[in-house]
Amino acid sequence: MKQKIYEGKAKIIFTGPQQGTLIQYFKDDATAFNAKKFDVLDGKGEINNLISEFIMNKIKEKGIPTHFLERINSREQLILDCKIIPLEVVIRNIAAGSICSRLGVKSGLKFKEPLIEFYYKNDNLGDPIVNDSHISLLEWSTHTELKQVKVFALEVNNMLSRYFLKVGISFIDLISEFG
């Protein structure tokens, strides 16, 4: 019997069938502005599951490790259990959203190179922006891990930017998490 371990804004994590695995369930909940805006969109979880499977397989093809093992059904994936680094890694290719209001940057500005930002993953604090020094001194990640996180995040961003450009979609930004 599955036991709920964690529930977030978009997913629920359950115990997995084998040690070292978990089941990730995709919800229909849609949130924005750190869950200040909320709605339920029928079928969103199923679509997110398919998109996630597709992207994770593309990432694996490039030799980048992921937590994804397999899609179980229309809403669930079997994933590896891992200890997360408590950071949201944001790669920005084009200015949009919070960076515009926070820094007065014009929406739509294309950055010369991808901009990397880190946010401490803590909803109670509003996921505050942090830098390499915070991450290291608060021991959320080692220098070596952080360097690898940056390499992987940029590789995934470059791969997905090229892929989406081929089908006529601008790749504005990417939020990744690592463990």
Side-chain angles (χ1 to χ4, degrees), residues 44-82:
K44 176 185 175 281
E46 294 173 354
I47 292 168
N48 283 356
N49 190 17
L50 291 171
I51 292 170
S52 174
E53 175 189 27
F54 177 81
I55 289 173
M56 290 298 154
N57 283 327
K58 289 287 180 195
I59 292 169
K60 280 184 174 183
E61 286 172 15
K62 293 291 182 186
I64 300 171
T66 76
H67 67 307
F68 176 79
L69 296 172
E70 66 180 325
R71 182 168 51 87
I72 298 170
N73 57 43
S74 66
R75 289 189 179 270
E76 294 178 325
Q77 294 178 356
L78 183 65
I79 60 172
L80 291 172
D81 185 6
C82 60

PDB file of all heavy atoms in Angstrom, residues 44-82:
ATOM      1  N   LYS A  44      -4.524  18.402 -16.230  1.00  0.00           N
ATOM      2  CA  LYS A  44      -3.185  19.002 -16.170  1.00  0.00           C
ATOM      3  C   LYS A  44      -2.153  17.984 -15.691  1.00  0.00           C
ATOM      4  O   LYS A  44      -1.054  17.894 -16.230  1.00  0.00           O
ATOM      5  CB  LYS A  44      -3.181  20.223 -15.259  1.00  0.00           C
ATOM      6  CG  LYS A  44      -1.798  20.833 -15.065  1.00  0.00           C
ATOM      7  CD  LYS A  44      -1.850  21.968 -14.041  1.00  0.00           C
ATOM      8  CE  LYS A  44      -0.475  22.521 -13.743  1.00  0.00           C
ATOM      9  NZ  LYS A  44       0.305  21.707 -12.825  1.00  0.00           N
ATOM     10  N   GLY A  45      -2.489  17.200 -14.675  1.00  0.00           N
ATOM     11  CA  GLY A  45      -1.560  16.209 -14.140  1.00  0.00           C
ATOM     12  C   GLY A  45      -1.160  15.176 -15.169  1.00  0.00           C
ATOM     13  O   GLY A  45       0.005  14.772 -15.253  1.00  0.00           O
ATOM     14  N   GLU A  46      -2.127  14.744 -15.982  1.00  0.00           N
ATOM     15  CA  GLU A  46      -1.833  13.757 -17.024  1.00  0.00           C
ATOM     16  C   GLU A  46      -0.902  14.328 -18.085  1.00  0.00           C
ATOM     17  O   GLU A  46       0.043  13.675 -18.525  1.00  0.00           O
ATOM     18  CB  GLU A  46      -3.134  13.264 -17.655  1.00  0.00           C
ATOM     19  CG  GLU A  46      -3.989  12.481 -16.678  1.00  0.00           C
ATOM     20  CD  GLU A  46      -5.369  12.115 -17.220  1.00  0.00           C
ATOM     21  OE1 GLU A  46      -5.729  12.569 -18.322  1.00  0.00           O
ATOM     22  OE2 GLU A  46      -6.072  11.368 -16.518  1.00  0.00           O
ATOM     23  N   ILE A  47      -1.149  15.572 -18.471  1.00  0.00           N
ATOM     24  CA  ILE A  47      -0.298  16.234 -19.471  1.00  0.00           C
ATOM     25  C   ILE A  47       1.100  16.451 -18.894  1.00  0.00           C
ATOM     26  O   ILE A  47       2.105  16.183 -19.567  1.00  0.00           O
ATOM     27  CB  ILE A  47      -0.933  17.558 -19.942  1.00  0.00           C
ATOM     28  CG1 ILE A  47      -2.204  17.271 -20.737  1.00  0.00           C
ATOM     29  CG2 ILE A  47       0.060  18.381 -20.767  1.00  0.00           C
ATOM     30  CD1 ILE A  47      -3.067  18.485 -21.002  1.00  0.00           C
ATOM     31  N   ASN A  48       1.184  16.911 -17.645  1.00  0.00           N
ATOM     32  CA  ASN A  48       2.492  17.113 -17.019  1.00  0.00           C
ATOM     33  C   ASN A  48       3.281  15.819 -16.913  1.00  0.00           C
ATOM     34  O   ASN A  48       4.503  15.811 -17.074  1.00  0.00           O
ATOM     35  CB  ASN A  48       2.341  17.752 -15.642  1.00  0.00           C
ATOM     36  CG  ASN A  48       2.064  19.231 -15.720  1.00  0.00           C
ATOM     37  OD1 ASN A  48       2.058  19.829 -16.787  1.00  0.00           O
ATOM     38  ND2 ASN A  48       1.830  19.832 -14.575  1.00  0.00           N
ATOM     39  N   ASN A  49       2.593  14.718 -16.643  1.00  0.00           N
ATOM     40  CA  ASN A  49       3.255  13.417 -16.561  1.00  0.00           C
ATOM     41  C   ASN A  49       3.879  13.056 -17.909  1.00  0.00           C
ATOM     42  O   ASN A  49       5.038  12.635 -17.972  1.00  0.00           O
ATOM     43  CB  ASN A  49       2.253  12.348 -16.111  1.00  0.00           C
ATOM     44  CG  ASN A  49       2.905  11.016 -15.779  1.00  0.00           C
ATOM     45  OD1 ASN A  49       4.096  10.914 -15.565  1.00  0.00           O
ATOM     46  ND2 ASN A  49       2.079   9.991 -15.714  1.00  0.00           N
ATOM     47  N   LEU A  50       3.143  13.227 -18.987  1.00  0.00           N
ATOM     48  CA  LEU A  50       3.664  12.905 -20.329  1.00  0.00           C
ATOM     49  C   LEU A  50       4.821  13.827 -20.718  1.00  0.00           C
ATOM     50  O   LEU A  50       5.834  13.368 -21.262  1.00  0.00           O
ATOM     51  CB  LEU A  50       2.546  12.999 -21.372  1.00  0.00           C
ATOM     52  CG  LEU A  50       1.463  11.927 -21.288  1.00  0.00           C
ATOM     53  CD1 LEU A  50       0.303  12.263 -22.223  1.00  0.00           C
ATOM     54  CD2 LEU A  50       2.044  10.555 -21.612  1.00  0.00           C
ATOM     55  N   ILE A  51       4.672  15.114 -20.444  1.00  0.00           N
ATOM     56  CA  ILE A  51       5.743  16.069 -20.763  1.00  0.00           C
ATOM     57  C   ILE A  51       6.990  15.742 -19.949  1.00  0.00           C
ATOM     58  O   ILE A  51       8.112  15.729 -20.475  1.00  0.00           O
ATOM     59  CB  ILE A  51       5.277  17.518 -20.521  1.00  0.00           C
ATOM     60  CG1 ILE A  51       4.207  17.906 -21.540  1.00  0.00           C
ATOM     61  CG2 ILE A  51       6.456  18.480 -20.587  1.00  0.00           C
ATOM     62  CD1 ILE A  51       3.500  19.218 -21.245  1.00  0.00           C
ATOM     63  N   SER A  52       6.801  15.462 -18.656  1.00  0.00           N
ATOM     64  CA  SER A  52       7.928  15.130 -17.790  1.00  0.00           C
ATOM     65  C   SER A  52       8.661  13.884 -18.295  1.00  0.00           C
ATOM     66  O   SER A  52       9.891  13.874 -18.380  1.00  0.00           O
ATOM     67  CB  SER A  52       7.444  14.905 -16.361  1.00  0.00           C
ATOM     68  OG  SER A  52       8.495  14.459 -15.541  1.00  0.00           O
ATOM     69  N   GLU A  53       7.910  12.847 -18.640  1.00  0.00           N
ATOM     70  CA  GLU A  53       8.524  11.614 -19.160  1.00  0.00           C
ATOM     71  C   GLU A  53       9.341  11.922 -20.420  1.00  0.00           C
ATOM     72  O   GLU A  53      10.487  11.483 -20.552  1.00  0.00           O
ATOM     73  CB  GLU A  53       7.450  10.584 -19.484  1.00  0.00           C
ATOM     74  CG  GLU A  53       8.005   9.329 -20.140  1.00  0.00           C
ATOM     75  CD  GLU A  53       6.925   8.394 -20.656  1.00  0.00           C
ATOM     76  OE1 GLU A  53       5.808   8.863 -20.986  1.00  0.00           O
ATOM     77  OE2 GLU A  53       7.204   7.190 -20.748  1.00  0.00           O
ATOM     78  N   PHE A  54       8.772  12.683 -21.339  1.00  0.00           N
ATOM     79  CA  PHE A  54       9.444  13.025 -22.588  1.00  0.00           C
ATOM     80  C   PHE A  54      10.750  13.779 -22.316  1.00  0.00           C
ATOM     81  O   PHE A  54      11.812  13.430 -22.833  1.00  0.00           O
ATOM     82  CB  PHE A  54       8.514  13.864 -23.471  1.00  0.00           C
ATOM     83  CG  PHE A  54       9.145  14.317 -24.750  1.00  0.00           C
ATOM     84  CD1 PHE A  54       9.220  13.454 -25.829  1.00  0.00           C
ATOM     85  CD2 PHE A  54       9.669  15.590 -24.866  1.00  0.00           C
ATOM     86  CE1 PHE A  54       9.821  13.858 -27.017  1.00  0.00           C
ATOM     87  CE2 PHE A  54      10.264  16.011 -26.048  1.00  0.00           C
ATOM     88  CZ  PHE A  54      10.339  15.144 -27.124  1.00  0.00           C
ATOM     89  N   ILE A  55      10.665  14.812 -21.470  1.00  0.00           N
ATOM     90  CA  ILE A  55      11.850  15.636 -21.188  1.00  0.00           C
ATOM     91  C   ILE A  55      12.904  14.831 -20.430  1.00  0.00           C
ATOM     92  O   ILE A  55      14.094  14.908 -20.748  1.00  0.00           O
ATOM     93  CB  ILE A  55      11.448  16.919 -20.430  1.00  0.00           C
ATOM     94  CG1 ILE A  55      10.683  17.851 -21.387  1.00  0.00           C
ATOM     95  CG2 ILE A  55      12.670  17.618 -19.848  1.00  0.00           C
ATOM     96  CD1 ILE A  55      10.087  19.077 -20.741  1.00  0.00           C
ATOM     97  N   MET A  56      12.496  14.051 -19.445  1.00  0.00           N
ATOM     98  CA  MET A  56      13.467  13.257 -18.687  1.00  0.00           C
ATOM     99  C   MET A  56      14.188  12.262 -19.597  1.00  0.00           C
ATOM    100  O   MET A  56      15.400  12.049 -19.451  1.00  0.00           O
ATOM    101  CB  MET A  56      12.788  12.514 -17.529  1.00  0.00           C
ATOM    102  CG  MET A  56      12.323  13.408 -16.420  1.00  0.00           C
ATOM    103  SD  MET A  56      13.698  14.294 -15.647  1.00  0.00           S
ATOM    104  CE  MET A  56      12.851  15.720 -15.044  1.00  0.00           C
ATOM    105  N   ASN A  57      13.472  11.673 -20.543  1.00  0.00           N
ATOM    106  CA  ASN A  57      14.129  10.746 -21.474  1.00  0.00           C
ATOM    107  C   ASN A  57      15.104  11.481 -22.393  1.00  0.00           C
ATOM    108  O   ASN A  57      16.183  10.972 -22.697  1.00  0.00           O
ATOM    109  CB  ASN A  57      13.095   9.957 -22.276  1.00  0.00           C
ATOM    110  CG  ASN A  57      12.485   8.841 -21.457  1.00  0.00           C
ATOM    111  OD1 ASN A  57      13.135   8.243 -20.601  1.00  0.00           O
ATOM    112  ND2 ASN A  57      11.219   8.549 -21.703  1.00  0.00           N
ATOM    113  N   LYS A  58      14.761  12.688 -22.824  1.00  0.00           N
ATOM    114  CA  LYS A  58      15.681  13.505 -23.641  1.00  0.00           C
ATOM    115  C   LYS A  58      16.943  13.846 -22.847  1.00  0.00           C
ATOM    116  O   LYS A  58      18.049  13.803 -23.368  1.00  0.00           O
ATOM    117  CB  LYS A  58      15.005  14.797 -24.122  1.00  0.00           C
ATOM    118  CG  LYS A  58      13.953  14.600 -25.167  1.00  0.00           C
ATOM    119  CD  LYS A  58      14.608  14.261 -26.483  1.00  0.00           C
ATOM    120  CE  LYS A  58      13.573  14.048 -27.560  1.00  0.00           C
ATOM    121  NZ  LYS A  58      14.134  13.391 -28.736  1.00  0.00           N
ATOM    122  N   ILE A  59      16.762  14.197 -21.569  1.00  0.00           N
ATOM    123  CA  ILE A  59      17.897  14.525 -20.712  1.00  0.00           C
ATOM    124  C   ILE A  59      18.796  13.304 -20.526  1.00  0.00           C
ATOM    125  O   ILE A  59      20.028  13.395 -20.629  1.00  0.00           O
ATOM    126  CB  ILE A  59      17.401  15.079 -19.353  1.00  0.00           C
ATOM    127  CG1 ILE A  59      16.740  16.449 -19.551  1.00  0.00           C
ATOM    128  CG2 ILE A  59      18.535  15.157 -18.335  1.00  0.00           C
ATOM    129  CD1 ILE A  59      15.995  16.958 -18.333  1.00  0.00           C
ATOM    130  N   LYS A  60      18.197  12.151 -20.294  1.00  0.00           N
ATOM    131  CA  LYS A  60      18.963  10.905 -20.129  1.00  0.00           C
ATOM    132  C   LYS A  60      19.759  10.570 -21.393  1.00  0.00           C
ATOM    133  O   LYS A  60      20.887  10.096 -21.307  1.00  0.00           O
ATOM    134  CB  LYS A  60      18.035   9.742 -19.785  1.00  0.00           C
ATOM    135  CG  LYS A  60      17.618   9.682 -18.345  1.00  0.00           C
ATOM    136  CD  LYS A  60      16.783   8.431 -18.117  1.00  0.00           C
ATOM    137  CE  LYS A  60      16.470   8.236 -16.675  1.00  0.00           C
ATOM    138  NZ  LYS A  60      15.721   6.982 -16.434  1.00  0.00           N
ATOM    139  N   GLU A  61      19.147  10.817 -22.557  1.00  0.00           N
ATOM    140  CA  GLU A  61      19.833  10.553 -23.827  1.00  0.00           C
ATOM    141  C   GLU A  61      21.127  11.351 -23.945  1.00  0.00           C
ATOM    142  O   GLU A  61      22.057  10.935 -24.624  1.00  0.00           O
ATOM    143  CB  GLU A  61      18.927  10.893 -25.015  1.00  0.00           C
ATOM    144  CG  GLU A  61      17.811   9.911 -25.252  1.00  0.00           C
ATOM    145  CD  GLU A  61      16.822  10.375 -26.325  1.00  0.00           C
ATOM    146  OE1 GLU A  61      17.141  11.314 -27.088  1.00  0.00           O
ATOM    147  OE2 GLU A  61      15.719   9.798 -26.380  1.00  0.00           O
ATOM    148  N   LYS A  62      21.190  12.500 -23.296  1.00  0.00           N
ATOM    149  CA  LYS A  62      22.385  13.355 -23.303  1.00  0.00           C
ATOM    150  C   LYS A  62      23.383  12.942 -22.223  1.00  0.00           C
ATOM    151  O   LYS A  62      24.402  13.606 -22.030  1.00  0.00           O
ATOM    152  CB  LYS A  62      22.004  14.825 -23.116  1.00  0.00           C
ATOM    153  CG  LYS A  62      21.231  15.398 -24.270  1.00  0.00           C
ATOM    154  CD  LYS A  62      22.119  15.516 -25.497  1.00  0.00           C
ATOM    155  CE  LYS A  62      21.372  16.145 -26.644  1.00  0.00           C
ATOM    156  NZ  LYS A  62      22.138  16.150 -27.871  1.00  0.00           N
ATOM    157  N   GLY A  63      23.077  11.868 -21.483  1.00  0.00           N
ATOM    158  CA  GLY A  63      24.002  11.384 -20.455  1.00  0.00           C
ATOM    159  C   GLY A  63      23.908  12.101 -19.126  1.00  0.00           C
ATOM    160  O   GLY A  63      24.777  11.945 -18.272  1.00  0.00           O
ATOM    161  N   ILE A  64      22.852  12.875 -18.944  1.00  0.00           N
ATOM    162  CA  ILE A  64      22.651  13.587 -17.679  1.00  0.00           C
ATOM    163  C   ILE A  64      21.735  12.739 -16.800  1.00  0.00           C
ATOM    164  O   ILE A  64      20.639  12.378 -17.216  1.00  0.00           O
ATOM    165  CB  ILE A  64      22.048  14.983 -17.931  1.00  0.00           C
ATOM    166  CG1 ILE A  64      22.984  15.822 -18.814  1.00  0.00           C
ATOM    167  CG2 ILE A  64      21.767  15.689 -16.607  1.00  0.00           C
ATOM    168  CD1 ILE A  64      22.382  17.119 -19.298  1.00  0.00           C
ATOM    169  N   PRO A  65      22.182  12.407 -15.589  1.00  0.00           N
ATOM    170  CA  PRO A  65      21.352  11.556 -14.727  1.00  0.00           C
ATOM    171  C   PRO A  65      20.094  12.282 -14.252  1.00  0.00           C
ATOM    172  O   PRO A  65      20.096  13.492 -14.053  1.00  0.00           O
ATOM    173  CB  PRO A  65      22.274  11.234 -13.552  1.00  0.00           C
ATOM    174  CG  PRO A  65      23.304  12.310 -13.550  1.00  0.00           C
ATOM    175  CD  PRO A  65      23.447  12.790 -14.963  1.00  0.00           C
ATOM    176  N   THR A  66      19.017  11.520 -14.105  1.00  0.00           N
ATOM    177  CA  THR A  66      17.758  12.045 -13.574  1.00  0.00           C
ATOM    178  C   THR A  66      17.208  11.066 -12.537  1.00  0.00           C
ATOM    179  O   THR A  66      17.701   9.948 -12.411  1.00  0.00           O
ATOM    180  CB  THR A  66      16.684  12.248 -14.673  1.00  0.00           C
ATOM    181  OG1 THR A  66      16.152  10.978 -15.034  1.00  0.00           O
ATOM    182  CG2 THR A  66      17.246  12.966 -15.893  1.00  0.00           C
ATOM    183  N   HIS A  67      16.157  11.485 -11.877  1.00  0.00           N
ATOM    184  CA  HIS A  67      15.471  10.626 -10.903  1.00  0.00           C
ATOM    185  C   HIS A  67      14.434   9.727 -11.578  1.00  0.00           C
ATOM    186  O   HIS A  67      13.938   8.785 -10.988  1.00  0.00           O
ATOM    187  CB  HIS A  67      14.800  11.483  -9.836  1.00  0.00           C
ATOM    188  CG  HIS A  67      13.669  12.320 -10.360  1.00  0.00           C
ATOM    189  ND1 HIS A  67      13.796  13.159 -11.439  1.00  0.00           N
ATOM    190  CD2 HIS A  67      12.381  12.427  -9.961  1.00  0.00           C
ATOM    191  CE1 HIS A  67      12.643  13.752 -11.680  1.00  0.00           C
ATOM    192  NE2 HIS A  67      11.768  13.324 -10.784  1.00  0.00           N
ATOM    193  N   PHE A  68      14.112  10.005 -12.835  1.00  0.00           N
ATOM    194  CA  PHE A  68      13.037   9.311 -13.550  1.00  0.00           C
ATOM    195  C   PHE A  68      13.429   7.870 -13.897  1.00  0.00           C
ATOM    196  O   PHE A  68      14.492   7.629 -14.465  1.00  0.00           O
ATOM    197  CB  PHE A  68      12.708  10.078 -14.838  1.00  0.00           C
ATOM    198  CG  PHE A  68      11.678   9.408 -15.704  1.00  0.00           C
ATOM    199  CD1 PHE A  68      10.332   9.513 -15.395  1.00  0.00           C
ATOM    200  CD2 PHE A  68      12.048   8.677 -16.820  1.00  0.00           C
ATOM    201  CE1 PHE A  68       9.371   8.899 -16.185  1.00  0.00           C
ATOM    202  CE2 PHE A  68      11.096   8.062 -17.619  1.00  0.00           C
ATOM    203  CZ  PHE A  68       9.764   8.173 -17.303  1.00  0.00           C
ATOM    204  N   LEU A  69      12.546   6.929 -13.575  1.00  0.00           N
ATOM    205  CA  LEU A  69      12.742   5.532 -13.963  1.00  0.00           C
ATOM    206  C   LEU A  69      11.763   5.120 -15.055  1.00  0.00           C
ATOM    207  O   LEU A  69      12.175   4.631 -16.099  1.00  0.00           O
ATOM    208  CB  LEU A  69      12.616   4.609 -12.745  1.00  0.00           C
ATOM    209  CG  LEU A  69      13.686   4.804 -11.663  1.00  0.00           C
ATOM    210  CD1 LEU A  69      13.362   3.993 -10.416  1.00  0.00           C
ATOM    211  CD2 LEU A  69      15.060   4.437 -12.209  1.00  0.00           C
ATOM    212  N   GLU A  70      10.460   5.324 -14.800  1.00  0.00           N
ATOM    213  CA  GLU A  70       9.464   4.986 -15.816  1.00  0.00           C
ATOM    214  C   GLU A  70       8.112   5.598 -15.466  1.00  0.00           C
ATOM    215  O   GLU A  70       7.827   5.882 -14.307  1.00  0.00           O
ATOM    216  CB  GLU A  70       9.316   3.476 -15.968  1.00  0.00           C
ATOM    217  CG  GLU A  70       8.735   2.795 -14.735  1.00  0.00           C
ATOM    218  CD  GLU A  70       8.585   1.300 -14.900  1.00  0.00           C
ATOM    219  OE1 GLU A  70       8.290   0.822 -16.007  1.00  0.00           O
ATOM    220  OE2 GLU A  70       8.757   0.589 -13.887  1.00  0.00           O
ATOM    221  N   ARG A  71       7.290   5.781 -16.524  1.00  0.00           N
ATOM    222  CA  ARG A  71       5.910   6.215 -16.295  1.00  0.00           C
ATOM    223  C   ARG A  71       5.107   4.967 -15.959  1.00  0.00           C
ATOM    224  O   ARG A  71       5.167   3.964 -16.666  1.00  0.00           O
ATOM    225  CB  ARG A  71       5.351   6.918 -17.539  1.00  0.00           C
ATOM    226  CG  ARG A  71       3.931   7.426 -17.333  1.00  0.00           C
ATOM    227  CD  ARG A  71       3.477   8.359 -18.445  1.00  0.00           C
ATOM    228  NE  ARG A  71       3.662   7.831 -19.773  1.00  0.00           N
ATOM    229  CZ  ARG A  71       2.787   7.059 -20.423  1.00  0.00           C
ATOM    230  NH1 ARG A  71       1.641   6.757 -19.854  1.00  0.00           N
ATOM    231  NH2 ARG A  71       3.041   6.629 -21.628  1.00  0.00           N
ATOM    232  N   ILE A  72       4.348   5.037 -14.872  1.00  0.00           N
ATOM    233  CA  ILE A  72       3.553   3.895 -14.411  1.00  0.00           C
ATOM    234  C   ILE A  72       2.169   3.904 -15.057  1.00  0.00           C
ATOM    235  O   ILE A  72       1.667   2.881 -15.497  1.00  0.00           O
ATOM    236  CB  ILE A  72       3.404   3.923 -12.874  1.00  0.00           C
ATOM    237  CG1 ILE A  72       4.769   3.817 -12.200  1.00  0.00           C
ATOM    238  CG2 ILE A  72       2.482   2.815 -12.398  1.00  0.00           C
ATOM    239  CD1 ILE A  72       4.740   4.065 -10.697  1.00  0.00           C
ATOM    240  N   ASN A  73       1.546   5.080 -15.071  1.00  0.00           N
ATOM    241  CA  ASN A  73       0.209   5.226 -15.635  1.00  0.00           C
ATOM    242  C   ASN A  73       0.018   6.684 -16.045  1.00  0.00           C
ATOM    243  O   ASN A  73       0.994   7.428 -16.135  1.00  0.00           O
ATOM    244  CB  ASN A  73      -0.866   4.751 -14.634  1.00  0.00           C
ATOM    245  CG  ASN A  73      -0.801   5.493 -13.311  1.00  0.00           C
ATOM    246  OD1 ASN A  73      -0.640   6.713 -13.271  1.00  0.00           O
ATOM    247  ND2 ASN A  73      -0.923   4.762 -12.211  1.00  0.00           N
ATOM    248  N   SER A  74      -1.216   7.108 -16.246  1.00  0.00           N
ATOM    249  CA  SER A  74      -1.465   8.451 -16.783  1.00  0.00           C
ATOM    250  C   SER A  74      -1.050   9.585 -15.834  1.00  0.00           C
ATOM    251  O   SER A  74      -0.844  10.712 -16.275  1.00  0.00           O
ATOM    252  CB  SER A  74      -2.934   8.613 -17.164  1.00  0.00           C
ATOM    253  OG  SER A  74      -3.757   8.562 -16.007  1.00  0.00           O
ATOM    254  N   ARG A  75      -0.909   9.297 -14.542  1.00  0.00           N
ATOM    255  CA  ARG A  75      -0.565  10.346 -13.576  1.00  0.00           C
ATOM    256  C   ARG A  75       0.653  10.052 -12.724  1.00  0.00           C
ATOM    257  O   ARG A  75       1.075  10.905 -11.949  1.00  0.00           O
ATOM    258  CB  ARG A  75      -1.739  10.593 -12.625  1.00  0.00           C
ATOM    259  CG  ARG A  75      -2.902  11.270 -13.269  1.00  0.00           C
ATOM    260  CD  ARG A  75      -3.922  11.662 -12.223  1.00  0.00           C
ATOM    261  NE  ARG A  75      -5.028  12.326 -12.859  1.00  0.00           N
ATOM    262  CZ  ARG A  75      -5.099  13.637 -13.052  1.00  0.00           C
ATOM    263  NH1 ARG A  75      -4.138  14.411 -12.644  1.00  0.00           N
ATOM    264  NH2 ARG A  75      -6.143  14.163 -13.648  1.00  0.00           N
ATOM    265  N   GLU A  76       1.221   8.865 -12.821  1.00  0.00           N
ATOM    266  CA  GLU A  76       2.279   8.476 -11.897  1.00  0.00           C
ATOM    267  C   GLU A  76       3.554   8.035 -12.612  1.00  0.00           C
ATOM    268  O   GLU A  76       3.507   7.455 -13.692  1.00  0.00           O
ATOM    269  CB  GLU A  76       1.809   7.327 -10.997  1.00  0.00           C
ATOM    270  CG  GLU A  76       0.690   7.714 -10.062  1.00  0.00           C
ATOM    271  CD  GLU A  76       0.219   6.553  -9.212  1.00  0.00           C
ATOM    272  OE1 GLU A  76       0.213   5.396  -9.689  1.00  0.00           O
ATOM    273  OE2 GLU A  76      -0.155   6.807  -8.052  1.00  0.00           O
ATOM    274  N   GLN A  77       4.674   8.334 -11.931  1.00  0.00           N
ATOM    275  CA  GLN A  77       5.985   7.902 -12.387  1.00  0.00           C
ATOM    276  C   GLN A  77       6.699   7.198 -11.237  1.00  0.00           C
ATOM    277  O   GLN A  77       6.537   7.567 -10.080  1.00  0.00           O
ATOM    278  CB  GLN A  77       6.859   9.097 -12.786  1.00  0.00           C
ATOM    279  CG  GLN A  77       6.379   9.855 -13.970  1.00  0.00           C
ATOM    280  CD  GLN A  77       7.275  11.056 -14.287  1.00  0.00           C
ATOM    281  OE1 GLN A  77       8.219  11.363 -13.580  1.00  0.00           O
ATOM    282  NE2 GLN A  77       6.943  11.726 -15.376  1.00  0.00           N
ATOM    283  N   LEU A  78       7.509   6.218 -11.602  1.00  0.00           N
ATOM    284  CA  LEU A  78       8.416   5.593 -10.655  1.00  0.00           C
ATOM    285  C   LEU A  78       9.717   6.386 -10.729  1.00  0.00           C
ATOM    286  O   LEU A  78      10.259   6.593 -11.825  1.00  0.00           O
ATOM    287  CB  LEU A  78       8.659   4.125 -11.018  1.00  0.00           C
ATOM    288  CG  LEU A  78       9.550   3.340 -10.058  1.00  0.00           C
ATOM    289  CD1 LEU A  78       8.886   3.221  -8.682  1.00  0.00           C
ATOM    290  CD2 LEU A  78       9.843   1.961 -10.636  1.00  0.00           C
ATOM    291  N   ILE A  79      10.176   6.862  -9.576  1.00  0.00           N
ATOM    292  CA  ILE A  79      11.381   7.692  -9.537  1.00  0.00           C
ATOM    293  C   ILE A  79      12.328   7.180  -8.456  1.00  0.00           C
ATOM    294  O   ILE A  79      11.923   6.438  -7.562  1.00  0.00           O
ATOM    295  CB  ILE A  79      11.048   9.177  -9.286  1.00  0.00           C
ATOM    296  CG1 ILE A  79      10.325   9.367  -7.951  1.00  0.00           C
ATOM    297  CG2 ILE A  79      10.227   9.745 -10.451  1.00  0.00           C
ATOM    298  CD1 ILE A  79      10.121  10.813  -7.519  1.00  0.00           C
ATOM    299  N   LEU A  80      13.575   7.612  -8.551  1.00  0.00           N
ATOM    300  CA  LEU A  80      14.552   7.298  -7.519  1.00  0.00           C
ATOM    301  C   LEU A  80      14.336   8.198  -6.313  1.00  0.00           C
ATOM    302  O   LEU A  80      14.031   9.384  -6.457  1.00  0.00           O
ATOM    303  CB  LEU A  80      15.974   7.515  -8.042  1.00  0.00           C
ATOM    304  CG  LEU A  80      16.467   6.551  -9.112  1.00  0.00           C
ATOM    305  CD1 LEU A  80      17.811   7.022  -9.659  1.00  0.00           C
ATOM    306  CD2 LEU A  80      16.572   5.139  -8.554  1.00  0.00           C
ATOM    307  N   ASP A  81      14.511   7.639  -5.141  1.00  0.00           N
ATOM    308  CA  ASP A  81      14.489   8.413  -3.909  1.00  0.00           C
ATOM    309  C   ASP A  81      15.868   9.048  -3.757  1.00  0.00           C
ATOM    310  O   ASP A  81      16.882   8.363  -3.853  1.00  0.00           O
ATOM    311  CB  ASP A  81      14.194   7.487  -2.725  1.00  0.00           C
ATOM    312  CG  ASP A  81      14.039   8.217  -1.409  1.00  0.00           C
ATOM    313  OD1 ASP A  81      14.038   9.462  -1.398  1.00  0.00           O
ATOM    314  OD2 ASP A  81      13.932   7.531  -0.377  1.00  0.00           O
ATOM    315  N   CYS A  82      15.911  10.331  -3.587  1.00  0.00           N
ATOM    316  CA  CYS A  82      17.196  10.997  -3.394  1.00  0.00           C
ATOM    317  C   CYS A  82      17.019  12.175  -2.442  1.00  0.00           C
ATOM    318  O   CYS A  82      15.921  12.684  -2.275  1.00  0.00           O
ATOM    319  CB  CYS A  82      17.796  11.455  -4.722  1.00  0.00           C
ATOM    320  SG  CYS A  82      16.787  12.605  -5.652  1.00  0.00           S
TER     321      CYS A  82
END
